[in-house]
Structures are given as structure tokens and as C-alpha cells.
Amino acid sequence: MKSAVIVFPGSNCDRDAHDAIERVTGHAPAMVWHQESELPDGTEFVMVPGGFSYGDYLRCGAMASRSAIIPALRAHAERGAPILGVCNGFQVLTETGLLPGALMRNAGLTFICEKAPLTIENGNTQFTSAYGGQREVVFPIAHHDGNYFADAATLDRLEGEGQVVFRYANNPNGSARDIAGITNARGTIMGMMPHPERAVDADHGGTDGLGVFESLLGSA
Amino acid sequence: MTANASALSQDIIDDHLPPEEYARTVEILGRAPNLVELGIFSVMWSEHCSYKSSRVHLKKFPVTGDKVIQGPGENAGVIDIGDGQACIFKMESHNHPSYIEPYQGAATGVGGILRDVFTMGARPVALMNALRFGAPNHPKTRSLVSGVVAGIGGYGNCVGVPTVGGETNFHPGYDGNILVNAMAVGLADADNIFYARGAEPGQPIVYVGSKTGRDGIHGATMASAEFDDDSAENRPTVQVGDPFTEKKLIEACLELMATDAIAAIQDMGAAGLTSSSVEMGDKGGVGITMNLDAVPQRETGMTAYEMMLSESQERMLMILKPGKESVAEAIFRKWELDVAVIGETTDTGRMLLTHKGETVCDIPIRPLADEAPLYERPWVRAPQRETILAGDVTPPQDYAEAILTLMVSPDLSSKAWIWKQYDRHVMADTAASSEDPSDAAVVRVHKTQKALAITTDCTPRYCGAGPVEGGKQAVAEAWRNLTAAGADPIAITDCLNFGNPERPDIMGQFAECVEGMAEACRALDFPVVSGNVSLYNETNGKAIPPTPAVGAVGLIPDISKRGTFGSLAEGDVLMLVGESHGWLGASLYLREIEGREEGAPPPVDLKVEKRNGDFVRTQIREGRLSIVHDLSDGGLAAAAAEVAMASGTGLNLAHEGELPLHGFLFGEDQARYLIAATEAQAEAVRAAADEAGVPLAVIGLAGGDALTVNGEWAVSIEDLKRVNSAFLPALMGG
């Protein structure tokens, strides 16, 4: 699978994303600088990594969503090719409008870093199919603005269409309906606050995150 | 000189330059210094930059060894971790600014220590911190904790370096002066290290990073004075951090360092442009000529004095090899950072500054740095305190209650409220951080099976009670914590926090702590490779407890063979390594249960420390141990409680013999470890101990869901967890 990771100034999980993708797919992803206007030819999967793009100034993900690379990301999305946004990447995807809703400041107002137990609400997406019957996973979270918000109608639609993919077992940040990760209506784009790429190694954070990348590889 | 400038000159002379030092400036220049020169002399000769009170004592530290690539004197220390890799690390204080403006003070402390490490070519891979706050019920404590923790997290999280561990204490001795000590650890190729030395005449001086503003002017001199009731007025001398710029600066510097462009490099920390240029000039033996008009400026109308004294953050000064300016420019422009050639090195040995066409400074460099004033301040030894053993202390009425009281005390309480605010996992190499049952943080060397073990340690209780033993213990405990994690301890950095050195008793604490630390470093082959001294930590004449914090790094050759204390299993045999005499002097038990801060600290026998530690490390690597945990604050009882909480398995301790039970449980004798092994493995462990001449006693069996002693009473794991997690949420409100 040919992958790419977009790098903004202030991205800091780009290396983690790179290594996780390489570990699972056997191929190192292209690291695409935000000022590029094209993804490398033949890119099948794009990951928008975590971090603090543009220092989280103005609003998390807001400035990154206006970067030069974003039109190429939109084109990739329109083709129905998979995109995964994690943490700040999720914030960037909501700011671009590729995913519905917004991420607000955590309900407790402090940054939270912990291992978050999650339930897989939809195991039939191209991001979760490899989990088989497994319903429970633990991914690390590390964010200040992970409190997912959308209006009631949007939330109902997300639930009704199976777009809620991950839910927190113990809601850490006040997210509406315990939502930790969602897809777009076509199921081709997933955004999530927890970090699957930090859970691909028994020596660091466990291996529960492997399934996300294995699912993508399986459906590619 | 304008009226304004001459008034300011007089202020500097009055506040920051003692008469004999002023006289020396006149002698050096052969004339009275102007305002810019006065500013430069006063910061370079400040305690913070010159170490003028401490240098004579710091010479006692061993600073060399097989694995030392660079000892003290550069931006950070460098050690060899094999396979062509080097680990670069340092710890630094940001005490004064953090008390005045906790968020920015702590944040810029993190930013500064990171720069010290990546300046030398390392990618930072871990942050640690050592924090001391005042009494929990002091009116300022809550806001200080909140601000400092948010500041450390705000900076480290954004810059993308995991904050993997540290320690936090509370004591009324820090009511007026908190301590915020931050440590950064990085990795580099051993053949690609960058130094402040190395400049030659005729090379361009290049400024990179943020623009220079009026923030932090004279921060270094503030950090070299006591506080009084008006110290909050110093707020404008605290800098403001921008971790986003720092992240870009890291990437840009590392990118430039991959090319062959840099002759010398120094971050702009305390005393900013002044100290960075003087250090590189001094170490390279070259003169410095700079045109201040070329300095990127954030504000209009800045004077030469303000530019030279500004402590604006996220700036670096580098001396490039001639012709490499365009390489640097391209990289820094890509990262949207300022870059400007502001001068060049010369063969005059002088610092010559021009601004708006005028010469504003002309000083020989040597007297500023290498030949700065040096004081042998008078000092007195601390009075000897009495030995307090268990026999001298009444046993507790209720042992279970005493254990719970210890576990809810601020020093032993869970610090989850703090570390949950730190990203501990970014970079995906953290094997053990604050949340994990490991005596040291463990960070894998990227894409290898090796790992760094990192710890910060100091027991101010002991240093106050007996500075020589306390100094030894700080080093020995760091060594023990690395050992218990399965690492070969390699070297330390330190952050020596004390009161006013002009008082002989305080200077005595300093001298004696350093004496003890140096002895321990020598005996344990654990050299000092970098460090920082923070003096004048006092308010209205009241000094902090002596707090020589130690940051230590070791290497775990194979990450699959490390020591942890969270996997105790039913039926495991519990064993105590080391001798127990029931030492209660200066113990946590005496303070928390009896309300007494008395007695001499436990003696540290360094030969025994080494022997016991080497034995434990071998057992870890042989794969014989199910758990290992060092004994420190609160003695065996605290260690056992921590093992029980982490494992979810109870410990049934058995005690017999002459040692009183409260000595067995709460004594703080040194060089001890609690270990456990399956019955089959325990036999091999005992045989190995016999062979190594290491005292080892079987002290019980694992099982059940409580900590019990002789089956007479029990403290349930549930109760331990409940009390242990209560303190910070209650203090901080959530």
C-alpha cells in the first residue's frame, strides 16, 4: 500500500505515524510537507498526524486546514481513497469540513494523557475490519481539545449510519455520546482522538492499534 | 549618555555589581564602562552565569570516565551509549521565574533545557522534572502547582517530546521559593556533536529563531538575588515561551546539523545574545564583532542595551563555516524562522558591538567568562545530629493506620493528577513513564532494543539533616533507581538549589552536599557531565531546604530484560536485599507520624550500595525476578504498598528477630531493594546472594488482596489505592 503522511509545522506525531505505517505495510510512507500542492503519484492512503499544527494558535487545526496541501487532500477524499486523521489530524479534518462536528476543549479543561479503553462500535469499516469480533481496545490519548461536539441531528445521523466507529468506555473529555472516532458518510475518512499509531508495539503502549492499519492494508 | 541611561547605569551598579566588581570593570577597560558594557558585565558576572560562589566547590566532582564524551562546560553533557550513539542531557532550574509567573516560568524552563540539548546536535527524546512546592495549605501552593504543571505540559506536549517522569515534594520550607528543575535527554550520533567551542576568526555569526523583544531583560540577575515581599514586581523579567517556534527550531537546527555548515553553536538562554556570543568567543578564543542593527527585532526603537540583555526565547546563535550562510538561510526560511548574519568572528579577542553607526561596546572577552570573579565564600559545617533508631521511637498504636497515613502523605501520594497532564507517549518509544511500576523512566533508543533509564532524585530531608550524607544519598538513590530498572548507571547531571551563599551556614550546606555527592559519584563510577547551580533561593531571609537534585541516565542493553514492580504473582517469595537497622532519623515516618523533623539521615555505605546494586542488576538480567523495587521514603512499608497497588497482589510479610517491627517496616536504611521471585527461582537468587556476600532475607510470600504482617493485621489494596490517590485531586479540586 502506498501511503503518505502530511507534515505541518508543529506536527509531532508524524514520526510515530510513519513508523506504524511502515511496520504494518512494509513500506515507508512519503512525508508530504504542507507547502506541497500534490500528493505523490499513486498514493492510496493518507494519514494526517497528531501534534500542534501551527501551535494550535487561533483554533486547533484551523490554520492547517488552509494549507497548500489541502486541495490535494480533498481531491484524494473525493476519489473515495482512505484518509485517517488522528488527534490534531482529526481536528484538521473537521476544520476542513471533511468530517462533521468540532473538537472543543476537554470538559475538565486540562490536557489528558492516559490509556483510554474504547469500544469498537462499527467493526465493518475499512479502518476496523481486521478486529474481527474484538470489541474492546485500549489506545493512548493525549490531548487538550478532544471534546467532540456536533448538533443533535448530526449525532443522530452519525449513530444511525454506523459512522460512530469508536466510543470511550470512560468518557475522559466530555465528548458527545462518548464519541472517540467517526467516519464520513462514505466510510472512507476516519477521524479519532485516540492514537492507534502509539499502540503498535508491545514495548510501548500495547498492540491494540495494529488492527487499524491492518484493516486498511486488507481493504487496499 | 542620556539622563535615562545614566540613571539606569547607576541602578545596575547599585543593584548588580558589588563595588569591588565595578572597580574591576574600570580596571579592565581603563575607563568607566558605558551602559551596554555595564549590562554585559553584570549579567556575565551574575551568580547564574558565572558560578562565582560555587566554582571552587564544583571542582570536586569527578567529570571524566570511559563513557564520558563531554563533561561540564558545554551546553550539556554527552555520554557514549555504544553503537556510535551518544546521549546528551542536562538539568536546569527555573525557580525564580516560576514563582513569579508559574506558567511561563515553568514553560520556558522546559524550552531552555531542550535548547541546551538540541544545540549539541541531539534530537530530544525525553523530559523529566523535579518540583518542590510549599505546604499544601499555603495560600499560594495551589495556584503554583496548577500553573507550573500546566506550563510544563503546555510546552513539552506541544513541542512533541514526552515528559516521562520526575518527582514532586511539598514542604513549608519552599513556601516562598518553589523549585522547578527540568531535565532534557536527547540522542545523537557520537560523531556528529556540536559545541560552543570551534569558532575561528573570520567566520559569520548567524542569528536564528524568534525575533528579539524586550522580555526577560535582566532575568539572569533576578535569578541571582533573594526575594522579598515586592518580588512579584519582577514579573516583566519573566520570558514568554512559544513551543511552536521551538519545535520548528529543533527541526531546522537538526536539518542544518546534517550538513557540514556549523563551526560553533550556542543557544540564547540566560543573558541571551550576551552570554551566547561571549561563550563562543571565549571557548573558541576569538573576538566577536556584531552589528546590532541586523538583529531581528520584534519591537521598534530597541536600544543596544535591551537587545544584549533580552531573554526572548527560542533563539540560537551560530558561527558558520564561511560560505555556508545560504545553506542555513534556505533551511530556516523553509521553517518560517528568522535568520540573519549579524556579525563575524575576529582575532582581536574583544567583543565589539555597533548600533546605528556607533560603537556601543568594546570589551575584552576573557574577563567576562573564563576570568569572571571567583569567590571562596566562608562556610561552616552543619551541626551533627543524633542517631535515631527504632528503639528510640515509640511504636505506632495502629500499624495499619500508620501505613495509610504515610501513603496519603503528600510526598508518597500518587502524582497522577500531575502526570496525566503530560504527553508521555509521543515519539512512541516510552516503555515506562510516571504511570508505570518502574523505579526509573525507560525510553527505548529509537529502532533498537536498547533503552535509556532516566531518574531524578534528591531527599531534601536528609540534606537538611546532614548535608554530606544527604548529598551522597541523592546520588546513591539515583544510581539505585536506575539499577532497579535494570540499567547500567552511566552519569548524572545536577541542579544544586540552595539559599544565599553569602551566609556561611548556607554556603556550608552547599559545600557539604557537593562533598557527599562527589564522594558517591567517585565510588559508584557515576561522573557528573553537566549541571546547574541555583542560589539565593530565599525570601525575607528564609532559605529553602538544601536541595541538590540529581538527574541520572543509565543504559538498558536489552529492553526485554528490565526491572519492574507491577507483576507480583500469588506464591512469589518476597525477599529483602540489604541490611536493616531500623534507621528512623530524618525519616518520612518520623515526620508524618510523629511530627518530628529530627535526627541524622541514614548513613550511605557506598561499597555496600555498589555490591547490592550489582547483585540486583544481575538477577534482573538473569530473568529471575518477578518484581524489584528500591526502598526509599517510607522504607519497606511504602515499597510493599506500592508493589501491592501496582500488582493487585497482596504481600504477607513475616517479621521476627530483635529489630522492632516499626524499624523493620519504616526504617530508611540505604542500599536496600524489595525483590520477589517464584519459589523455583528464589533458590537461585538466594544462592547468588550468598556467593556475592549480599545480605538477603526471605520476608514473606505474595498472595491475597492486602498487605499483612505476621497475619496480625492487614491493609487492603483497595484502601491503599483509595488513600494514595486522594491528595492531589483534593488539593487541586478535581
Side-chain angles (χ1 to χ4, degrees):
Chain A
M1 185 169 64
K2 200 168 171 190
S3 312
V5 174
I6 298 180
V7 184
F8 302 101
S11 293
N12 64 28
C13 304
D14 44 330
R15 192 182 81 174
D16 305 355
H18 173 280
D19 291 358
I21 291 169
E22 186 177 34
R23 176 184 289 253
V24 176
T25 69
H27 298 285
M31 305 305 278
V32 180
W33 185 237
H34 70 119
Q35 284 171 340
E36 302 289 327
S37 52
E38 297 291 336
L39 292 166
D41 280 347
T43 299
E44 293 164 86
F45 161 59
V46 179
M47 185 155 169
V48 188
F52 288 67
S53 57
Y54 295 93
D56 274 359
Y57 295 137
L58 184 60
R59 204 170 54 237
C60 303
M63 285 195 262
S65 74
R66 273 81 179 163
S67 299
I69 191 64
I70 296 301
L73 186 70
R74 283 186 198 283
H76 185 81
E78 276 158 26
R79 283 194 296 274
I83 299 172
L84 171 63
V86 170
C87 200
N88 188 229
F90 186 13
Q91 294 161 343
V92 172
L93 293 179
T94 60
E95 284 286 341
T96 55
L98 288 170
L99 288 174
L103 283 312
M104 305 192 302
R105 181 125 297 196
N106 294 343
L109 302 181
T110 56
F111 187 96
I112 304 171
C113 174
E114 64 186 21
K115 285 172 185 146
L118 307 172
T119 51
I120 300 175
E121 293 294 314
N122 185 346
N124 293 321
T125 73
Q126 58 179 319
F127 302 94
T128 50
S129 57
Y131 285 100
Q134 186 183 353
R135 287 264 296 150
E136 266 143 47
V137 289
V138 177
F139 291 173
I141 58 167
H143 58 248
H144 209 159
D145 300 83
N147 179 354
Y148 184 73
F149 176 84
D151 59 45
T154 305
L155 292 171
D156 289 343
R157 197 180 69 240
L158 289 174
E159 305 243 28
E161 301 296 320
Q163 288 173 247
V164 175
V165 185
F166 291 100
R167 232 190 273 274
Y168 297 109
N170 317 304
N171 192 337
N173 54 26
S175 287
R177 303 191 192 176
D178 303 331
I179 288 172
I182 58 167
T183 63
N184 60 344
R186 290 166 77 182
T188 55
I189 304 174
M190 182 164 78
M192 61 192 303
M193 290 311 296
H195 288 273
E197 83 284 12
R198 293 189 191 178
V200 295
D201 181 350
D203 284 332
H204 168 87
T207 54
D208 280 0
L210 284 171
V212 168
F213 301 96
E214 285 165 354
S215 302
L216 281 161
L217 189 60
S219 55
Chain B
M1 208 182 282
T2 64
N4 231 345
S6 93
L8 190 52
S9 293
Q10 198 54 49
D11 281 352
I12 295 170
I13 295 166
D14 292 348
D15 295 348
H16 303 305
L17 275 176
E20 66 278 14
E21 291 186 10
Y22 178 73
R24 238 185 111 194
T25 66
V26 176
E27 189 190 321
I28 288 163
L29 296 176
R31 60 176 165 81
N34 66 27
L35 173 63
V36 177
E37 292 162 343
L38 267 178
I40 289 170
F41 274 114
S42 71
V43 289
M44 288 311 299
W45 289 358
S46 70
E47 192 65 61
H48 189 86
C49 292
S50 73
Y51 296 84
K52 59 191 172 191
S53 300
S54 57
R55 269 190 290 165
V56 292
H57 298 281
L58 299 176
K59 284 186 187 141
K60 293 179 199 156
F61 285 141
V63 295
T64 55
D66 292 353
K67 301 222 163 67
V68 176
I69 295 175
Q70 175 66 51
E74 276 284 346
N75 281 293
V78 185
I79 56 172
D80 183 353
I81 57 165
D83 309 310
Q85 292 165 319
C87 173
I88 302 186
F89 63 99
K90 190 181 180 193
M91 180 155 57
E92 200 163 71
S93 60
H94 234 216
N95 306 333
H96 293 79
S98 299
Y99 184 79
I100 292 170
E101 212 307 288
Y103 185 98
Q104 293 298 344
T108 53
V110 173
I113 197 64
L114 281 169
R115 280 193 299 285
D116 278 336
V117 160
F118 72 77
T119 301
M120 298 196 72
R123 176 169 288 282
V125 298
L127 286 164
M128 300 278 288
N129 54 72
L131 312 177
R132 322 276 166 189
F133 295 104
N137 62 1
H138 186 274
K140 287 202 77 158
T141 298
R142 190 166 175 253
S143 69
L144 289 169
V145 173
S146 165
V148 165
V149 171
I152 290 173
Y155 207 99
N157 298 342
C158 179
V159 88
V161 178
T163 301
V164 294
E167 56 176 350
T168 307
N169 293 155
F170 294 84
H171 190 276
Y174 303 102
D175 280 352
N177 294 81
I178 61 169
L179 301 184
V180 175
N181 296 172
M183 175 176 174
V185 181
L187 289 169
D189 290 337
D191 61 0
N192 201 34
I193 311 254
F194 293 82
Y195 298 98
R197 60 176 183 260
E200 288 173 17
Q203 294 177 323
I205 300 175
V206 178
Y207 170 118
V208 300
S210 288
K211 290 178 167 50
T212 296
R214 289 191 171 97
D215 49 338
I217 291 173
H218 258 302
T221 42
M222 174 191 76
S224 307
E226 291 175 41
F227 279 166
D228 56 30
D229 294 331
D230 299 326
S231 292
E233 288 172 12
N234 279 327
R235 196 166 291 121
T237 62
V238 179
Q239 317 85 334
V240 177
D242 177 5
F244 171 56
T245 300
E246 180 104 333
K247 168 68 176 165
K248 295 193 292 177
L249 195 58
I250 293 175
E251 300 303 333
C253 284
L254 293 178
E255 209 170 308
L256 182 61
M257 285 163 167
T259 72
D260 182 31
I262 299 172
I265 180 166
Q266 174 89 29
D267 82 299
M268 291 195 230
L273 200 46
T274 295
S275 74
S276 55
S277 56
V278 169
E279 290 290 335
M280 287 193 290
D282 181 57
K283 293 200 170 98
V286 296
I288 298 281
T289 294
M290 295 194 291
N291 171 16
L292 298 181
D293 300 307
V295 171
Q297 293 159 52
R298 200 171 62 214
E299 301 171 48
T300 54
M302 287 190 71
T303 64
Y305 171 82
E306 288 168 334
M307 278 187 259
M308 291 309 289
L309 276 285
S310 163
E311 291 190 6
S312 291
Q313 298 289 292
E314 293 89 24
R315 301 178 300 159
M316 298 282 231
L317 197 64
M318 41 182 79
I319 295 173
L320 296 183
K321 296 178 180 171
K324 298 290 185 179
E325 296 92 323
S326 58
V327 178
E329 270 172 32
I331 291 171
F332 283 88
R333 295 228 187 284
K334 170 189 158 191
W335 288 97
E336 298 169 16
L337 293 164
D338 271 292
V339 49
V341 177
I342 63 169
E344 66 170 352
T345 51
T346 65
D347 59 6
T348 64
R350 297 182 77 82
M351 173 135 113
L352 189 76
L353 303 176
T354 59
H355 187 222
K356 296 187 172 162
E358 281 178 36
T359 298
V360 292
C361 165
D362 185 0
I363 309 182
I365 287 177
R366 285 242 168 244
L368 285 173
D370 219 31
E371 294 166 15
L374 193 60
Y375 293 127
E376 290 221 32
R377 299 206 187 269
W379 60 278
V380 293
R381 289 208 172 260
Q384 287 286 333
R385 291 213 200 168
E386 56 175 343
T387 297
I388 301 180
L389 296 173
D392 309 318
V393 178
T394 331
Q397 301 251 324
D398 180 336
Y399 280 92
E401 195 56 41
I403 290 176
L404 290 171
T405 304
L406 276 183
M407 297 315 290
V408 77
S409 70
D411 284 1
L412 285 185
S413 276
S414 162
K415 302 300 185 303
W417 187 91
I418 293 174
W419 50 251
K420 274 192 180 183
Q421 297 187 48
Y422 304 148
D423 189 339
R424 305 179 302 283
H425 308 130
V426 63
M427 301 188 86
D429 280 315
T430 306
S433 73
S434 311
E435 70 193 299
D436 299 301
S438 172
D439 282 331
V442 178
V443 177
R444 185 176 47 192
V445 176
H446 198 56
K447 294 195 165 168
T448 74
Q449 277 300 301
K450 297 191 295 190
L452 301 173
I454 315 165
T455 181
T456 61
D457 291 289
C458 178
T459 311
R461 260 190 346 268
Y462 296 165
C463 295
V468 175
E469 291 303 313
K472 276 192 221 168
Q473 196 273 345
V475 173
E477 188 180 346
W479 189 87
R480 203 182 309 143
N481 279 327
L482 298 182
T483 295
D488 293 309
I490 299 180
I492 71 167
T493 179
D494 60 51
C495 204
L496 308 174
N497 309 277
F498 292 82
N500 181 347
E502 294 161 41
R503 287 170 37 191
D505 56 330
I506 301 293
M507 199 62 221
Q509 290 177 342
F510 182 85
E512 288 196 79
C513 279
V514 168
E515 184 183 318
M517 291 171 76
E519 192 184 331
C521 289
R522 272 193 303 274
L524 298 171
D525 190 16
F526 206 26
V528 179
V529 295
S530 58
N532 155 255
V533 177
S534 174
L535 302 174
Y536 297 96
N537 291 287
E538 47 182 277
T539 296
N540 294 332
K542 187 171 178 286
I544 57 159
T547 313
V550 170
V553 175
L555 185 71
I556 298 174
D558 178 352
I559 200 168
S560 69
K561 291 176 184 159
R562 60 189 182 91
T564 60
F565 61 86
S567 42
L568 186 69
E570 195 93 13
D572 281 350
V573 179
L574 303 168
M575 293 168 277
L576 182 61
V577 177
E579 281 187 65
S580 304
H581 302 285
W583 191 283
L584 288 178
S587 67
L588 197 65
Y589 175 86
L590 202 61
R591 188 179 87 190
E592 296 296 328
I593 309 292
E594 296 264 312
R596 291 198 278 152
E597 296 188 50
E598 294 167 12
V604 180
D605 184 329
L606 295 160
K607 279 208 180 84
V608 169
E609 191 73 59
K610 179 134 183 20
R611 182 194 66 197
N612 294 1
D614 289 347
F615 164 75
V616 167
R617 191 180 314 105
T618 305
Q619 301 312 304
I620 293 170
R621 293 192 183 161
E622 294 287 337
R624 290 181 181 141
L625 305 183
S626 50
I627 62 114
V628 50
H629 194 10
D630 100 298
L631 262 56
S632 54
D633 286 350
L636 175 62
E642 286 165 356
V643 169
M645 288 189 288
S647 303
T649 302
L651 290 85
N652 303 300
L653 302 177
H655 174 61
E656 54 189 27
E658 285 173 19
L659 184 64
L661 182 56
H662 61 303
F664 173 71
L665 285 173
F666 305 115
E668 294 185 6
D669 303 272
Q670 297 294 297
R672 296 188 303 159
Y673 303 79
L674 173 61
I675 61 174
T678 61
E679 213 177 322
Q681 291 285 5
E683 214 28 63
V685 174
R686 291 172 72 175
D690 276 350
E691 196 171 317
V694 169
L696 180 142
V698 171
I699 57 165
L701 281 178
D705 56 7
L707 173 59
T708 74
V709 179
N710 294 342
E712 288 164 13
W713 46 263
V715 186
S716 74
I717 293 175
E718 198 186 325
D719 282 347
L720 284 171
K721 283 187 172 172
R722 183 176 46 78
V723 304
N724 190 242
S725 60
F727 165 67
L728 275 172
L731 177 68
M732 305 308 296

